[in-house]
Amino acid sequence: MRKNFVEELKWRGMLAQIMPGTEELLQKEQVTAYLGTDPTADSLHIGHLCGIMMLRHLQRCGHKPIILVGGATGMIGDPSGKSEERNLLDSDTLYHNQEAIKKQVAKFLDFDSPEPNAAEMVNNYDWMKDFTFLDFARVVGKHITVNYMMAKDSVQQRLNGTSRDGLSFTEFTYQLLQGYDFLYLYQHKGCKLQLGGNDQWGNMTTGTELIRRTLGNEAEAFALTCPLITKSDGKKFGKTESGNIWLDPKRTTPYRFYQFWLNVSDEDAERYIKIFTSLEREVIDALVEEHRQDPGRRILQRRLAEEVTVMVHSQADLDMAIEASNILFGKSTKDELTKIDEQTLLDIFDGVPKYTMDSSLLGEPAVELFTRDEVKIFQSKGEMRKLVQGGGVSLNKEKLTAFDRPITSDDLIDGKYLLVSKGKKCHHLITVK
């Protein structure tokens, strides 16, 4: 008996809407299901993770996942939940983005399995590029009425919204294009189920309707959505002051990625560990119980951050992120500081006071440099002298033993940074130019 995919989603809090008959179909046979993703960037961000995790659970329950990259639809733009029409991309950019996305998704899905439920990636540009407007009007347009399309919430919101431009014909036809994807995959891949975020429900049901009207009532197709994930304060999940949390380490360092999960609230950690990890129910229940006994240890957040960082990046990246986290709290050495890359260094000391100093000043005694007007780490030479003598000043995580020792280019991290610390927690970062 195969594991129940719908039950798995339910207890994880990953089920929003489901068409009648979907669960019965999944219990009866191996089902091919697809989820569409938008190739407007060459990386997914954590807002995409709920959908990707749905595909992961689907495959683990014995079904076949297809991830569809919207190369054709990405050239147009989807009105669902958007207030503006999106930029159109050229085919070179779309291809580059598709390859980058596949690399990321391969960490979640098994594309190389010898089993019949190996994951597949498809691009709707492949079947849309030679599909003429006349083909589209005949094959798709005649089956779906304008009345049906107008009734969709996504269309109504744009028509009655604040956008001065209204809704373009291009965007209006988006639901038909997405519907045709489902029809194409149904006919060519035996795909009977579409998965997606809850804002896609309207487009997804257009697909099931198109299949029924094109192929007859016996052609059964289904749709299932996951909720749009929010934070406990109602704000959008995955957005920070500095923007999206990306899966690409060049856009979001593993350290910052790890920190994001580590810093979620207790309430969110309890929800997210079910949604964003593959841990079994008993393991999660035990972690939740342990966390409630002593919330201060942040057991849930730590396990969540570890699981997701290893899944998206690697064990080595997690180890580095934990090592980097220790740098802030005084448990590290100069060696560890010099091992981390520049962007991670800047991420770690994101909130600390920063100064810029001219490289011509190198060679001067520390007491002169760190009390200058442009680098006012210490208010006076006397204050610095006293703190150094009391063992309370570190340079690059090593105790400064002489207040008048010269600071040279040998002291620079990455050839341009100095980290001066007063006590264990008061850090200052100097960039030498």
Side-chain angles (χ1 to χ4, degrees), residues 236-285:
K236 198 167 179 184
F237 162 76
K239 289 273 190 188
T240 64
E241 282 170 27
S242 56
N244 281 321
I245 302 292
W246 298 91
L247 307 195
D248 182 346
K250 293 195 282 293
R251 288 173 178 248
T252 299
T253 60
Y255 166 78
R256 192 183 281 272
F257 185 86
Y258 172 76
Q259 286 293 321
F260 170 82
W261 300 100
L262 200 59
N263 290 316
V264 300
S265 68
D266 288 355
E267 194 183 326
D268 285 339
E270 207 167 304
R271 284 193 306 132
Y272 295 169
I273 200 161
K274 293 174 186 167
I275 297 168
F276 299 111
T277 77
S278 298
L279 294 173
E280 296 296 340
R281 192 172 193 163
E282 305 71 49
V283 176
I284 290 175
D285 288 346

Side-chain angles (χ1 to χ4, degrees), residues 24-89:
E24 292 77 357
L25 176 81
L26 286 156
Q27 287 299 90
K28 190 175 71 182
E29 61 187 73
Q30 180 183 289
V31 175
T32 298
Y34 91 96
L35 175 131
T37 191
D38 173 35
T40 45
D42 62 359
S43 173
L44 300 174
H45 54 74
I46 59 174
H48 295 106
L49 270 187
C50 186
I52 301 297
M53 290 303 291
M54 282 171 89
L55 287 178
R56 183 177 172 89
H57 292 307
L58 179 92
Q59 190 172 33
R60 292 176 73 148
C61 290
H63 303 289
K64 182 179 177 69
I66 293 179
I67 182 149
L68 178 143
V69 174
T73 36
M75 290 178 159
I76 291 167
D78 170 15
S80 305
K82 312 283 190 307
S83 57
E84 300 294 337
E85 191 162 345
R86 60 166 65 119
N87 294 333
L88 311 186
L89 302 175

Side-chain angles (χ1 to χ4, degrees), residues 32-253:
T32 298
Y34 91 96
L35 175 131
T37 191
D38 173 35
T40 45
D42 62 359
S43 173
L44 300 174
H45 54 74
I46 59 174
H48 295 106
L49 270 187
C50 186
I52 301 297
M53 290 303 291
M54 282 171 89
L55 287 178
R56 183 177 172 89
H57 292 307
L58 179 92
Q59 190 172 33
R60 292 176 73 148
C61 290
H63 303 289
K64 182 179 177 69
I66 293 179
I67 182 149
L68 178 143
V69 174
T73 36
M75 290 178 159
I76 291 167
D78 170 15
S80 305
K82 312 283 190 307
S83 57
E84 300 294 337
E85 191 162 345
R86 60 166 65 119
N87 294 333
L88 311 186
L89 302 175
D90 62 65
S91 53
D92 286 349
T93 306
L94 285 165
Y95 179 75
H96 164 76
N97 293 356
Q98 174 192 327
E99 290 307 297
I101 289 168
K102 179 166 185 182
K103 216 167 153 187
Q104 291 178 340
V105 176
K107 295 188 173 180
F108 296 83
L109 304 177
D110 186 355
F111 287 89
D112 302 317
S113 168
E115 300 300 320
N117 71 329
E120 262 187 74
M121 178 178 264
V122 295
N123 186 335
N124 61 10
Y125 183 69
D126 293 338
W127 57 83
M128 292 306 299
K129 65 179 186 291
D130 300 320
F131 200 51
T132 69
F133 184 73
L134 286 176
D135 294 334
F136 183 72
R138 282 173 50 135
V139 174
V140 182
K142 70 174 183 183
H143 289 294
I144 303 287
T145 66
V146 170
N147 312 48
Y148 179 87
M149 294 169 72
M150 291 289 285
K152 297 290 183 183
D153 286 345
S154 56
V155 173
Q156 287 297 320
Q157 282 163 13
R158 280 295 297 274
L159 286 174
N160 305 324
T162 53
S163 171
R164 286 174 303 170
D165 301 329
L167 180 71
S168 72
F169 174 75
T170 305
E171 286 186 288
F172 182 54
T173 55
Y174 186 91
Q175 59 175 291
L176 293 183
L177 288 165
Q178 187 170 325
Y180 181 68
D181 286 341
F182 199 174
L183 174 62
Y184 182 91
L185 291 174
Y186 185 96
Q187 291 176 308
H188 293 84
K189 301 276 183 187
C191 181
K192 293 183 181 178
L193 173 62
Q194 185 179 172
L195 309 175
N198 209 26
D199 59 336
Q200 290 292 315
W201 183 254
N203 291 338
M204 290 162 72
T205 51
T206 299
T208 61
E209 188 66 10
L210 180 63
I211 289 168
R212 191 182 65 76
R213 292 188 186 184
T214 305
L215 304 175
N217 287 338
E218 65 283 356
E220 292 188 302
F222 300 88
L224 180 159
T225 62
C226 62
L228 297 178
I229 311 300
T230 55
K231 294 193 279 196
S232 50
D233 60 9
K235 287 184 183 159
K236 198 167 179 184
F237 162 76
K239 289 273 190 188
T240 64
E241 282 170 27
S242 56
N244 281 321
I245 302 292
W246 298 91
L247 307 195
D248 182 346
K250 293 195 282 293
R251 288 173 178 248
T252 299
T253 60

